[in-house]
Structures are given as C-alpha cells and as structure tokens.
Amino acid sequence: MNAMPGPEHFYSIDTKATPWEASFNAKLGVALGRLMLRKDPKTAAEIRMIRYPKGIVNPAHTHPCGHGIFVLEGQLKTHRGMFGPGTWVWFPQGEVMEHGATDEGDVTGIFITDGAFEIYYRD
C-alpha cells in the first residue's frame, strides 16, 4: 500500500508481506523498524508497528502526546521495568521515559499515539 486511505475506507495490511521502513534515529545511531498502519488526518494520532534491535534503548525523552506499546515479541525494557508479549504499556504525555529492547533480543510492538508524535531528548 502506497498511501494511507482515509478513515472512511476499509483496508487491511499484511504486516508479514509489507516491507518495513528503516527509520534512522541519529540519537541512537541505528535504524529502528516501523510500519505505519494508520495516521488520523485530523488529529495526527498514529498506529504503527515498531521494532527495536536488541540492546537499543531510547534514552530519557518526552513526547507532546501520550502513547502506548502493545508488546508482540521480545521484552520491552523501560524506565519502569520489563514487559513481555501480550502486555500493554501506556506512557502519559510529558512523562520522562526510556524504552527499547533488552540485550537478549529485538522487541516488536504496536505503537499507538493519542496525538501528533514528536520526540524531545532530555540531554
């Protein structure tokens, strides 16, 4: 799929057959995997799949929106502990947070925001 259809259209995405975007993060010095599933044209809220490579943790940062990660595979390492497959983790707007993958393996999840996404690093 080349463009997201509007909210009034039905669509499906085969996430196993669709190529993921390699989104280079200059702060981390690596590419994170992401696959956009939906972006609301009015609120800019997003639903996407994300993948952190093993050992990569996004250091202290905030967002101007709340967001959650539903862990599909691996262990999500956060500033508040570790969370495995089947866990929903919510990060409130403005909270200083860290999250990513453990040293043992990649982590894959569904990432959902409640508004426009930006990231502000603390250092």
Side-chain angles (χ1 to χ4, degrees), residues 60-73:
H61 64 278
T62 63
H63 301 286
C65 62
H67 76 285
I69 300 173
F70 181 77
V71 182
L72 297 171
E73 298 175 336

Side-chain angles (χ1 to χ4, degrees), residues 1-13 36-43 45 47:
M1 178 166 57
N2 294 333
M4 284 286 123
E8 68 281 0
H9 298 282
F10 171 85
Y11 67 96
S12 67
I13 300 171
M36 186 65 71
L37 301 175
R38 171 133 173 47
K39 186 165 187 173
D40 187 289
K42 293 179 184 158
T43 66
I47 303 171

